[in-house]
Coordinates of all heavy atoms in Angstrom, one line a residue:
M1 N 129.8 108.0 215.7 CA 129.3 107.4 217.0 C 128.6 106.1 216.8 O 128.0 105.8 215.8 CB 128.3 108.4 217.6 CG 128.9 109.7 218.2 SD 130.1 109.3 219.5 CE 128.9 108.9 220.8
F2 N 128.8 105.2 217.8 CA 128.2 103.9 217.7 C 127.1 103.8 218.7 O 127.4 103.9 219.9 CB 129.2 102.8 217.8 CG 128.7 101.4 217.8 CD1 128.3 100.9 216.5 CD2 128.5 100.7 218.9 CE1 127.8 99.6 216.4 CE2 128.0 99.4 218.8 CZ 127.6 98.9 217.6
D3 N 125.9 103.6 218.3 CA 124.8 103.5 219.3 C 124.4 102.1 219.4 O 123.9 101.5 218.4 CB 123.6 104.4 218.8 CG 122.5 104.5 219.8 OD1 122.6 103.7 220.8 OD2 121.6 105.2 219.6
P4 N 124.5 101.5 220.6 CA 124.2 100.1 220.8 C 122.7 99.8 220.5 O 122.3 98.7 220.1 CB 124.5 99.8 222.2 CG 125.1 101.0 222.8 CD 125.1 102.1 221.8
L5 N 121.9 100.8 220.6 CA 120.4 100.6 220.4 C 120.2 100.4 218.9 O 119.3 99.6 218.5 CB 119.7 101.9 220.9 CG 118.2 101.7 221.0 CD1 117.9 100.6 222.1 CD2 117.5 103.0 221.4
D6 N 121.0 101.0 218.0 CA 120.9 100.8 216.6 C 121.2 99.3 216.3 O 120.5 98.7 215.5 CB 121.9 101.7 215.8 CG 121.3 103.1 215.7 OD1 120.1 103.3 216.0 OD2 122.1 104.0 215.3
L7 N 122.2 98.8 216.9 CA 122.6 97.4 216.7 C 121.4 96.5 217.1 O 121.1 95.5 216.5 CB 123.9 97.1 217.4 CG 124.4 95.7 217.1 CD1 124.8 95.5 215.7 CD2 125.6 95.4 218.0
L8 N 120.9 96.8 218.3 CA 119.8 96.0 218.8 C 118.6 96.0 217.9 O 118.0 95.0 217.6 CB 119.4 96.6 220.2 CG 118.3 95.8 220.9 CD1 118.8 94.4 221.4 CD2 117.8 96.6 222.2
M9 N 118.2 97.2 217.4 CA 117.1 97.3 216.5 C 117.4 96.6 215.2 O 116.5 95.9 214.6 CB 116.8 98.8 216.2 CG 116.3 99.6 217.4 SD 114.8 98.9 218.1 CE 113.6 99.3 216.9
F10 N 118.6 96.7 214.7 CA 119.0 96.0 213.5 C 118.9 94.5 213.6 O 118.4 93.8 212.8 CB 120.5 96.5 213.1 CG 121.0 95.7 211.9 CD1 120.5 96.0 210.6 CD2 121.9 94.7 212.1 CE1 121.0 95.3 209.5 CE2 122.3 94.0 211.0 CZ 121.9 94.3 209.7
S11 N 119.5 94.0 214.8 CA 119.5 92.6 214.9 C 118.0 92.0 215.1 O 117.7 91.0 214.6 CB 120.3 92.2 216.1 OG 119.8 92.8 217.3
R12 N 117.2 92.8 215.8 CA 115.8 92.4 215.9 C 115.1 92.3 214.6 O 114.4 91.4 214.3 CB 115.1 93.4 216.9 CG 115.3 93.0 218.3 CD 114.4 93.9 219.2 NE 114.6 93.6 220.6 CZ 114.1 94.3 221.6 NH1 113.4 95.4 221.3 NH2 114.3 94.0 222.8
S13 N 115.3 93.4 213.8 CA 114.6 93.4 212.5 C 115.2 92.3 211.6 O 114.4 91.7 210.8 CB 114.7 94.8 211.8 OG 116.1 95.1 211.6
S14 N 116.5 92.0 211.7 CA 117.0 91.0 210.8 C 116.6 89.6 211.3 O 116.3 88.7 210.4 CB 118.6 91.1 210.8 OG 119.1 91.0 212.1
Y15 N 116.5 89.4 212.6 CA 115.9 88.2 213.1 C 114.5 88.0 212.6 O 114.0 86.9 212.3 CB 116.0 88.1 214.6 CG 117.3 87.6 215.1 CD1 118.1 88.3 215.9 CD2 117.8 86.3 214.7 CE1 119.4 87.8 216.4 CE2 119.0 85.8 215.1 CZ 119.8 86.6 216.0 OH 121.0 86.1 216.4
Y16 N 113.7 89.1 212.6 CA 112.3 89.1 212.2 C 112.3 88.7 210.7 O 111.5 87.8 210.4 CB 111.7 90.4 212.4 CG 110.3 90.5 211.9 CD1 109.2 89.9 212.6 CD2 110.0 91.2 210.7 CE1 108.0 90.0 212.1 CE2 108.8 91.3 210.2 CZ 107.7 90.7 210.9 OH 106.5 90.8 210.4
L17 N 113.1 89.3 209.9 CA 113.1 89.0 208.5 C 113.6 87.5 208.3 O 113.0 86.8 207.4 CB 114.1 89.9 207.8 CG 113.5 91.3 207.5 CD1 114.6 92.2 206.9 CD2 112.4 91.3 206.5
L18 N 114.5 87.1 209.0 CA 115.0 85.7 208.9 C 113.9 84.8 209.3 O 113.7 83.8 208.6 CB 116.2 85.5 209.8 CG 116.9 84.1 209.8 CD1 117.5 83.9 208.4 CD2 117.9 84.0 210.9
G19 N 113.2 85.1 210.3 CA 112.1 84.2 210.8 C 111.0 84.2 209.7 O 110.5 83.1 209.4
V20 N 110.6 85.3 209.1 CA 109.6 85.3 208.0 C 110.1 84.5 206.9 O 109.4 83.7 206.3 CB 109.3 86.8 207.6 CG1 108.5 86.8 206.3 CG2 108.6 87.5 208.7
F21 N 111.4 84.7 206.5 CA 112.0 83.9 205.4 C 111.9 82.4 205.6 O 111.5 81.6 204.8 CB 113.4 84.4 205.2 CG 114.1 83.7 204.1 CD1 113.8 84.0 202.7 CD2 115.0 82.6 204.3 CE1 114.4 83.3 201.7 CE2 115.6 81.9 203.3 CZ 115.3 82.3 202.0
V22 N 112.3 82.0 206.8 CA 112.3 80.6 207.2 C 110.9 80.0 207.1 O 110.7 78.9 206.6 CB 113.0 80.4 208.6 CG1 112.8 78.9 209.1 CG2 114.5 80.7 208.5
V23 N 110.0 80.7 207.7 CA 108.6 80.2 207.7 C 108.1 80.1 206.3 O 107.5 79.1 205.9 CB 107.7 81.2 208.5 CG1 106.2 80.8 208.3 CG2 108.0 81.0 210.0
A24 N 108.3 81.1 205.5 CA 107.9 81.1 204.1 C 108.6 79.9 203.3 O 107.9 79.2 202.5 CB 108.2 82.4 203.4
F25 N 109.9 79.7 203.6 CA 110.6 78.6 203.0 C 110.1 77.3 203.4 O 109.9 76.4 202.5 CB 112.1 78.8 203.4 CG 113.0 77.7 202.7 CD1 113.4 77.8 201.4 CD2 113.4 76.6 203.5 CE1 114.2 76.8 200.8 CE2 114.2 75.6 202.9 CZ 114.6 75.7 201.6
V26 N 109.8 77.1 204.6 CA 109.2 75.8 205.1 C 107.9 75.5 204.5 O 107.6 74.4 204.1 CB 109.2 75.8 206.7 CG1 108.3 74.6 207.2 CG2 110.6 75.8 207.3
I27 N 107.0 76.6 204.5 CA 105.7 76.4 203.9 C 105.8 76.0 202.4 O 105.1 75.1 202.0 CB 104.8 77.7 204.1 CG1 104.5 77.9 205.6 CG2 103.6 77.6 203.2 CD1 103.8 79.2 205.9
F28 N 106.7 76.7 201.7 CA 106.9 76.5 200.3 C 107.4 75.1 200.1 O 106.8 74.4 199.2 CB 107.8 77.5 199.7 CG 108.1 77.3 198.3 CD1 107.2 77.7 197.3 CD2 109.3 76.7 197.8 CE1 107.4 77.5 196.0 CE2 109.5 76.5 196.5 CZ 108.6 76.9 195.5
T29 N 108.4 74.7 200.8 CA 109.0 73.3 200.6 C 108.0 72.2 200.9 O 107.9 71.2 200.3 CB 110.3 73.2 201.3 OG1 110.1 73.5 202.7 CG2 111.4 74.1 200.7
T30 N 107.3 72.4 202.0 CA 106.4 71.3 202.4 C 105.2 71.2 201.4 O 104.8 70.1 201.1 CB 105.8 71.6 203.8 OG1 105.3 72.9 203.9 CG2 106.9 71.3 204.9
A31 N 104.8 72.4 200.9 CA 103.7 72.3 199.9 C 104.3 71.7 198.6 O 103.6 71.0 197.9 CB 103.2 73.7 199.6
A32 N 105.5 72.0 198.2 CA 106.1 71.5 197.0 C 106.4 70.1 197.0 O 106.3 69.3 196.1 CB 107.3 72.4 196.6
K33 N 106.9 69.6 198.2 CA 107.3 68.2 198.3 C 106.2 67.3 198.8 O 106.4 66.1 198.9 CB 108.5 68.2 199.3 CG 109.8 68.7 198.8 CD 110.9 68.6 199.8 CE 112.2 69.1 199.2 NZ 113.3 69.1 200.2
R34 N 105.1 67.9 199.1 CA 104.0 67.0 199.5 C 103.6 66.0 198.4 O 103.2 66.4 197.3 CB 102.8 67.9 199.9 CG 101.7 67.1 200.6 CD 100.7 68.1 201.1 NE 99.6 67.4 201.8 CZ 98.7 68.0 202.6 NH1 98.8 69.3 202.7 NH2 97.8 67.4 203.2
P35 N 103.6 64.7 198.7 CA 103.4 63.8 197.7 C 101.9 63.7 197.3 O 101.0 64.0 198.2 CB 103.8 62.4 198.3 CG 103.6 62.7 199.8 CD 104.0 64.1 200.0
S36 N 101.6 63.5 196.1 CA 100.2 63.3 195.7 C 99.6 62.1 196.4 O 100.2 61.0 196.3 CB 100.1 63.2 194.2 OG 100.6 64.3 193.5
P37 N 98.5 62.3 197.1 CA 97.9 61.2 197.8 C 97.3 60.1 196.8 O 96.6 60.5 195.9 CB 96.9 61.8 198.7 CG 96.5 63.1 198.0 CD 97.8 63.5 197.3
R38 N 97.7 58.9 197.0 CA 97.2 57.8 196.2 C 96.0 57.2 197.0 O 96.2 56.8 198.1 CB 98.3 56.8 195.9 CG 97.9 55.8 194.9 CD 99.0 54.8 194.6 NE 100.0 55.4 193.7 CZ 100.0 55.2 192.4 NH1 99.2 54.3 191.8 NH2 100.9 55.7 191.6
C39 N 94.9 57.0 196.3 CA 93.8 56.4 196.9 C 94.0 55.0 197.4 O 94.5 54.2 196.6 CB 92.6 56.4 196.0 SG 91.1 55.7 196.6
P40 N 93.8 54.7 198.7 CA 94.0 53.3 199.2 C 93.0 52.3 198.6 O 93.3 51.1 198.6 CB 93.8 53.4 200.7 CG 92.9 54.6 200.8 CD 93.3 55.6 199.7
R41 N 91.9 52.8 198.0 CA 90.9 51.8 197.5 C 91.1 51.6 196.0 O 91.2 50.4 195.6 CB 89.5 52.4 197.7 CG 88.4 51.4 197.3 CD 87.1 52.1 197.3 NE 86.6 52.3 198.7 CZ 85.5 53.1 198.9 NH1 84.8 53.6 197.9 NH2 85.1 53.2 200.2
C42 N 91.3 52.6 195.2 CA 91.3 52.5 193.7 C 92.6 52.9 193.1 O 92.8 52.8 191.9 CB 90.2 53.2 193.1 SG 90.4 55.0 193.1
R43 N 93.6 53.3 193.9 CA 94.9 53.7 193.5 C 95.0 54.9 192.6 O 96.0 55.2 192.0 CB 95.6 52.5 192.8 CG 95.5 51.1 193.5 CD 95.8 51.1 194.9 NE 97.3 51.3 195.2 CZ 97.8 51.5 196.4 NH1 97.0 51.6 197.4 NH2 99.1 51.7 196.5
E44 N 93.9 55.6 192.6 CA 93.9 56.9 191.9 C 94.8 57.9 192.5 O 94.9 58.0 193.7 CB 92.4 57.5 191.9 CG 92.3 58.9 191.3 CD 92.1 58.8 189.7 OE1 92.0 57.7 189.2 OE2 92.0 59.8 189.1
I45 N 95.6 58.6 191.7 CA 96.5 59.6 192.2 C 95.7 61.0 192.2 O 95.2 61.4 191.2 CB 97.8 59.8 191.3 CG1 98.5 58.5 191.4 CG2 98.6 60.9 191.9 CD1 99.7 58.4 190.4
N46 N 95.6 61.5 193.4 CA 94.8 62.7 193.5 C 95.6 64.0 193.7 O 96.8 63.9 193.8 CB 93.9 62.6 194.8 CG 92.8 61.5 194.5 OD1 91.7 61.8 194.0 ND2 93.1 60.3 194.9
R47 N 94.9 65.1 193.7 CA 95.6 66.4 193.9 C 96.3 66.4 195.3 O 95.7 65.8 196.2 CB 94.6 67.6 193.8 CG 94.1 67.8 192.4 CD 93.0 68.9 192.4 NE 91.9 68.6 193.2 CZ 91.6 69.2 194.3 NH1 92.4 70.1 194.8 NH2 90.5 68.8 195.0
P48 N 97.4 67.1 195.4 CA 98.1 67.1 196.7 C 97.3 67.5 197.9 O 97.4 67.1 199.0 CB 99.2 68.1 196.4 CG 99.5 68.0 195.0 CD 98.1 67.8 194.3
M49 N 96.3 68.5 197.7 CA 95.5 69.0 198.8 C 94.2 68.2 198.9 O 93.4 68.6 199.8 CB 95.3 70.5 198.6 CG 96.5 71.3 198.5 SD 97.4 71.2 200.1 CE 98.9 72.1 199.6
A50 N 94.0 67.2 198.1 CA 92.7 66.5 198.1 C 92.5 65.8 199.4 O 93.4 65.2 200.0 CB 92.6 65.5 197.0
C51 N 91.3 65.9 200.0 CA 90.9 65.1 201.2 C 90.2 63.8 200.8 O 90.2 62.9 201.6 CB 90.0 66.0 202.1 SG 90.9 67.4 202.8
Y52 N 89.6 63.8 199.6 CA 88.8 62.6 199.2 C 89.2 62.3 197.8 O 89.6 63.2 197.0 CB 87.3 62.9 199.3 CG 86.8 63.2 200.7 CD1 86.7 64.5 201.1 CD2 86.5 62.1 201.5 CE1 86.3 64.7 202.4 CE2 86.1 62.3 202.8 CZ 86.0 63.6 203.3 OH 85.6 63.9 204.5
C53 N 89.2 61.0 197.5 CA 89.6 60.6 196.1 C 88.6 61.2 195.1 O 87.4 61.1 195.3 CB 89.5 59.1 196.1 SG 89.8 58.4 194.5
A54 N 89.2 61.7 194.0 CA 88.3 62.3 193.0 C 87.6 61.2 192.2 O 86.7 61.4 191.5 CB 89.2 63.1 192.0
H55 N 88.1 59.9 192.3 CA 87.6 58.8 191.5 C 86.5 58.1 192.2 O 85.4 57.9 191.6 CB 88.7 57.9 191.1 CG 88.3 56.8 190.2 ND1 88.0 57.0 188.9 CD2 88.1 55.5 190.4 CE1 87.7 55.8 188.3 NE2 87.7 54.9 189.3
C56 N 86.7 57.7 193.4 CA 85.7 56.9 194.1 C 85.2 57.5 195.4 O 84.3 57.0 196.1 CB 86.3 55.5 194.4 SG 87.6 55.6 195.7
G57 N 85.8 58.7 195.8 CA 85.3 59.4 197.0 C 85.8 58.8 198.3 O 85.4 59.3 199.4
Q58 N 86.7 57.9 198.2 CA 87.4 57.4 199.5 C 88.1 58.5 200.2 O 88.8 59.3 199.6 CB 88.3 56.2 199.1 CG 89.2 55.7 200.2 CD 88.5 54.9 201.2 OE1 87.5 54.3 201.0 NE2 89.0 55.0 202.5
S59 N 88.0 58.6 201.5 CA 88.7 59.5 202.3 C 90.2 59.2 202.2 O 90.6 58.0 202.3 CB 88.3 59.5 203.7 OG 89.1 60.3 204.5
L60 N 91.0 60.2 201.9 CA 92.5 60.0 201.8 C 93.1 60.2 203.2 O 94.3 60.4 203.3 CB 93.1 61.0 200.8 CG 92.5 60.8 199.4 CD1 93.0 61.9 198.5 CD2 92.8 59.4 198.8
G61 N 92.3 60.1 204.2 CA 92.6 60.2 205.6 C 94.0 60.7 206.0 O 95.0 60.0 205.8
K62 N 94.0 61.8 206.7 CA 95.2 62.2 207.4 C 95.2 61.7 208.8 O 95.7 62.3 209.7 CB 95.3 63.8 207.4 CG 95.1 64.4 206.0 CD 96.3 64.1 205.1 CE 96.2 64.9 203.9 NZ 95.1 64.5 203.0
S63 N 94.4 60.6 209.0 CA 94.2 59.9 210.3 C 93.6 60.8 211.4 O 93.0 61.8 211.2 CB 95.4 59.3 210.9 OG 96.3 60.3 211.4
Ligands
LIG101 ZN1 89.7 56.2 194.9

């Protein structure tokens, strides 16, 4: 027997999994590809997540 409800549930769960996968992939790729911020004042290359220059304390401004 073929129950349309099974297909509905299956498609919903697969869309959910697909959504989770896409979100995880986007987060991973943006984190991986995020360029190391270079200080505008002293040209120090800082950690990717840094908000301030580790060398001179200049804000690495995300505007
Ligand atoms: Zn600096």
Side-chain angles (χ1 to χ4, degrees):
M1 288 295 287
F2 180 75
D3 188 349
L5 197 62
D6 282 347
L7 185 65
L8 184 67
M9 294 302 286
F10 174 76
S11 61
R12 276 186 182 171
S13 60
S14 59
Y15 274 121
Y16 175 76
L17 283 172
L18 184 67
V20 169
F21 178 79
V22 168
V23 168
F25 180 78
V26 168
I27 290 172
F28 178 78
T29 52
T30 52
K33 288 182 177 176
R34 189 169 181 168
S36 297
R38 187 180 281 261
C39 177
R41 183 190 289 171
C42 71
R43 315 308 292 171
E44 175 84 2
I45 299 172
N46 290 274
R47 290 179 298 107
M49 298 301 175
C51 294
Y52 297 94
C53 176
H55 185 72
C56 71
Q58 170 72 31
S59 174
L60 300 174
K62 308 291 188 291
S63 77

